[in-house]
Amino acid sequence: MKNSTYYACTILAVVLLFVVLSNVAYAMWSETLHVNMKMSMGEFDTRICCYRVLTCCHHCNVTSQLSDNSKALFVSFENLHPGWTGWVALIICNKGTLPAELIGTSVTIVEASDDIEDHFHYEIHYYGPLKIHDLKNIRCCHLPLPFNSSLPIQFDPGQKVLVLIELHIDALYHGEGELDTVFTIRTSLWH
Amino acid sequence: MNLKKLLVLPIFLILISSISVALAMWSETLKINVTVNTGEVDAEIVRAYVDDDIPPPTIKPDYNGTPNAWPNCTNFNYTGEGWVAVIKGDIDFEELDKDVAWAEAWTEDTDGDGDNDTAYVKIHNGYPGYMVWLSLEVDNVGTIPIFIDYYVVNGTTLTKEEIEENNLVFLDANGNCEPEVLIQLYNLLGEQIDPGQGRESSWRIVVLQPASENSEYVISVKLVAVQWNESIYYGKK
């Protein structure tokens, strides 16, 4: 009994010694090279950075608000009459680090009184890329501007695009009505 | 009687000592001193190069890469360093019209043995579709022939046979089966590199559509070099 325990311990010690030595030998005879890659992504950030709603109607009420992500502009028009014309001017900025492309602008009627939406028309004009800073000098009588661009429009970081949306209620409409509208820009990476 | 007894002992001692002297005189020790100087298994990344290493703006536009194969959820395995899928396919690529992103690569000696054992690659201002080529040159700077047996990409071990069959390695950082980065590995495995010789391999790295803006992705590739006669490729041709 004593002998068998002795032999078992001896065999175990030899095996352990072999395993330990084998590992050391293997580690000494191999080499690991490393390739570490780190990829930092850029920022895609296009937004409506400036806007203005123009109407030549003095008794028409207009309220506007930019969405939290600055991708959409909510505009409510009141007291719209037949033949009414208005303009929504948007400056789209590229505040990211990647070139962008303006694909289009959506005009959606959220709520309307009577059948005014059937008499509501719009036309969109695009300009850019530009270095325009604000819309202070925009006047109804100057619009639309010449030399408009066609979609899609590429604009690099720091560049801007001007969007002019001409709104119109045709003469077939009767009475005065209200319109709640949303103007949304659609952009993507330039390629 | 006593005298005889007394004489036996000295005679016996003289006899023994005579034999001992004789033995000492007729023996000689020869010595062979063996010194074993072992060689060294040592590999070095002598060059790491990316083709888009100048910050924009330059006249050299970026490349846009698109894989022609896409992994599904069953292709991914969790390795402890993220989710990895290795599938068969290739990358279609085209030159773009702008220089937006850029990359840099450099090597370092991290273990202080005088050889550059680590290559670093950094991509700046990346975006979905951006593709860059990484060229690696590995030299055997030891005294024993070596094989590079494995790539270990974010914990996934790949052999030559596996790379030859499937060489698109997709990396998914958050385990939603939507990989953010892809590496196309070319073979550096299974070829014997003798002391003083080297091998070059060029890999493609592509940022994929699910990549998030303003984020950072990390890939680790290990190249395991072993002495040639312990290699899994030893004797295979």
Side-chain angles (χ1 to χ4, degrees):
Chain A
M1 184 65 188
K2 205 171 181 179
N3 276 347
S4 62
T5 308
Y6 173 76
Y7 285 131
C9 286
T10 308
I11 289 166
L12 187 64
V14 168
V15 168
L16 281 173
L17 191 66
F18 175 75
V19 168
V20 169
L21 289 175
S22 306
N23 286 342
V24 169
Y26 182 77
M28 287 176 67
W29 295 90
S30 71
E31 166 110 6
T32 301
L33 304 173
H34 300 264
V35 181
N36 297 326
M37 306 180 203
K38 193 177 274 187
M39 286 150 226
S40 300
M41 297 299 117
E43 183 180 17
F44 179 73
D45 183 3
T46 55
R47 59 175 78 174
I48 300 169
C49 54
C50 185
Y51 69 92
R52 194 168 170 200
V53 183
L54 302 164
T55 176
C56 304
C57 165
H58 295 296
H59 69 281
C60 301
N61 291 330
V62 177
T63 54
S64 54
Q65 188 179 1
L66 207 55
S67 67
D68 290 341
N69 63 3
S70 299
K71 301 271 188 194
L73 177 68
F74 302 94
V75 185
S76 296
F77 300 95
E78 291 176 1
N79 305 325
L80 300 180
H81 55 80
W84 171 83
T85 300
W87 291 85
V88 172
L90 307 172
I91 295 180
I92 317 298
C93 296
N94 184 347
K95 289 184 172 287
T97 62
L98 303 170
E101 190 171 80
L102 180 62
I103 303 166
T105 308
S106 302
V107 180
T108 312
I109 296 173
V110 180
E111 204 171 328
S113 62
D114 303 332
D115 57 347
I116 194 168
E117 67 265 35
D118 297 333
H119 302 277
F120 173 72
H121 308 280
Y122 65 88
E123 190 175 350
I124 306 175
H125 309 266
Y126 296 96
Y127 303 88
L130 304 170
K131 290 182 179 175
I132 186 169
H133 297 296
D134 56 52
L135 296 165
K136 283 177 190 165
N137 297 324
I138 295 275
R139 299 279 181 273
C140 270
C141 51
H142 296 154
L143 301 179
L145 300 171
F147 311 116
N148 63 321
S149 310
S150 55
L151 290 177
I153 301 172
Q154 285 187 14
F155 55 126
D156 289 337
Q159 291 187 324
K160 295 166 186 175
V161 174
L162 173 65
V163 181
L164 293 175
I165 306 160
E166 183 178 7
L167 310 172
H168 178 62
I169 303 291
D170 64 38
L172 298 175
Y173 178 66
H174 298 288
E176 289 192 337
E178 296 173 9
L179 266 179
D180 288 346
T181 52
V182 184
F183 300 88
T184 312
I185 57 162
R186 294 197 309 275
T187 54
S188 71
L189 274 179
W190 90 103
H191 69 87
Chain B
M1 183 64 182
N2 284 339
L3 186 65
K4 279 182 183 176
K5 279 184 180 176
L6 284 172
L7 282 173
V8 168
L9 188 61
I11 289 166
F12 180 73
L13 285 172
I14 290 165
L15 187 66
I16 291 293
S17 60
S18 303
I19 292 167
S20 298
V21 168
L23 272 177
M25 288 178 67
W26 290 93
S27 73
E28 177 158 344
T29 303
L30 300 175
K31 291 179 182 173
I32 301 170
N33 294 323
V34 179
T35 303
V36 179
N37 288 318
T38 53
E40 183 188 18
V41 167
D42 199 3
E44 179 179 18
I45 300 173
V46 291
R47 187 166 171 266
Y49 168 77
V50 284
D51 69 316
D52 187 17
D53 57 347
I54 301 173
T58 67
I59 56 166
K60 187 176 176 300
D62 291 347
Y63 276 87
N64 181 66
T66 309
N68 59 16
W70 195 259
N72 56 43
C73 283
T74 57
N75 297 126
F76 283 95
N77 289 307
Y78 185 68
T79 62
E81 295 180 46
W83 294 80
V84 178
V86 188
I87 62 168
K88 188 174 189 172
D90 205 348
I91 296 172
D92 301 322
F93 60 91
E94 59 176 346
E95 194 177 69
L96 295 169
D97 58 340
K98 289 180 186 293
D99 179 24
V100 176
W102 64 287
E104 56 183 330
W106 67 97
T107 57
E108 273 185 23
D109 175 15
T110 59
D111 57 9
D113 67 350
D115 305 320
N116 291 324
D117 53 85
T118 303
Y120 293 93
V121 180
K122 179 95 196 271
I123 292 177
H124 302 269
N125 202 33
Y127 55 86
Y130 177 66
M131 185 174 90
V132 68
W133 278 264
L134 166 66
S135 176
L136 276 183
E137 198 175 316
V138 175
D139 276 10
N140 181 350
V141 292
T143 59
I144 291 171
I146 58 169
F147 280 89
I148 296 175
D149 269 10
Y150 308 103
Y151 293 134
V152 185
V153 185
N154 276 21
T156 297
T157 302
L158 299 168
T159 61
K160 177 187 177 185
E161 288 75 18
E162 287 164 329
I163 291 294
E164 282 174 349
E165 194 173 340
N166 306 308
N167 71 347
L168 293 186
V169 183
F170 291 81
L171 301 148
D172 177 12
N174 46 19
N176 61 355
C177 308
E178 293 291 332
E180 296 90 2
V181 186
L182 156 68
I183 310 182
Q184 187 175 32
L185 295 169
Y186 286 97
N187 236 332
L188 201 65
L189 308 179
E191 287 182 36
Q192 184 174 315
I193 310 174
D194 289 327
Q197 290 189 340
R199 293 286 186 278
E200 191 266 344
S201 185
S202 184
W203 305 345
R204 290 172 181 160
I205 304 165
V206 181
V207 178
L208 300 172
Q209 294 299 324
S212 303
E213 58 182 303
N214 280 329
S215 53
E216 202 166 73
Y217 300 101
V218 176
I219 304 172
S220 144
V221 184
K222 293 174 187 164
L223 289 75
V224 182
V226 300
Q227 66 187 71
W228 93 108
N229 60 331
E230 283 186 1
S231 167
I232 59 172
Y233 308 110
Y234 177 64
K236 291 183 184 175
K237 263 294 172 185

